[in-house]
């Protein structure tokens, strides 16, 4: 099958050999396993403090994917999405708290006044 689509915020795509991407085939939610070399990578995600994730947009432009690398599956449940959101959010909250702690220590050390 031939695939043309875009997937934003794909973490680590520049270092990966393969990408597992979600798509809809004949109305059925599916995963496709695609060589990253067959995909375009666009630097479209410019989040402060998140450069280390390597997140980019990957683009398939009429990429030929053998049928044996496409599998039907069910969409993620609400519980799956909540668990994923909480794990991602916990990293962001932890980083923000660490930055606040560091700022407070630096402020006390230099005697800065607000």
């Amino acid at each position: 099958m031939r695939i043309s689509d875009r997937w934003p915020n794909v973490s680590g795509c520049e270092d990966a050999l393969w990408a597992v991407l979600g798509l809809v085939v004949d109305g059925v939610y599916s995963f496709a396993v695609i060589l990253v070399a067959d995909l375009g990578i666009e630097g479209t995600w410019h989040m402060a403090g998140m450069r280390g994730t390597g997140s980019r947009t990957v683009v398939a432009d009429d990429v030929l994917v053998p049928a044996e690398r496409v599998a039907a599956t069910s969409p993620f449940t609400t519980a799956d999405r909540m668990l994923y959101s909480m794990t991602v959010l916990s990293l962001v909250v932890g980083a923000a708290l660490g930055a606040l702690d560091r700022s407070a220590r630096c402020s006390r050390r230099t005697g800065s006044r607000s």
Side-chain angles (χ1 to χ4, degrees):
M1 78 173 19
R2 295 217 169 257
I3 296 175
S4 293
D5 208 340
R6 303 171 63 80
W7 295 265
N9 305 334
V10 179
S11 297
C13 59
E14 291 182 311
D15 298 315
L17 294 176
W18 296 91
V20 179
L21 302 170
L23 61 146
V24 177
V25 178
D26 297 328
V28 177
Y29 187 77
S30 303
F31 284 122
V33 180
I34 304 172
L35 276 168
V36 172
D38 292 341
L39 300 168
I41 297 176
E42 299 175 353
T44 56
W45 200 44
H46 307 289
M47 295 287 295
M50 300 299 285
R51 182 178 294 170
T53 67
S55 296
R56 308 282 184 265
T57 295
V58 295
V59 180
D61 185 16
D62 199 36
V63 174
L64 178 62
V65 179
E68 60 268 14
R69 287 201 261 138
V70 179
T73 186
S74 58
F76 294 114
T77 66
T78 300
D80 292 333
R81 290 191 299 270
M82 288 299 296
L83 178 62
Y84 176 78
S85 298
M86 288 170 40
T87 58
V88 170
L89 183 59
S90 66
L91 298 174
V92 174
V93 170
L97 290 173
L100 287 171
D101 289 345
R102 177 74 175 166
S103 295
R105 283 195 308 272
C106 288
S107 177
R108 283 192 299 268
R109 199 171 32 232
T110 61
S112 298
R113 295 186 184 127
S114 300

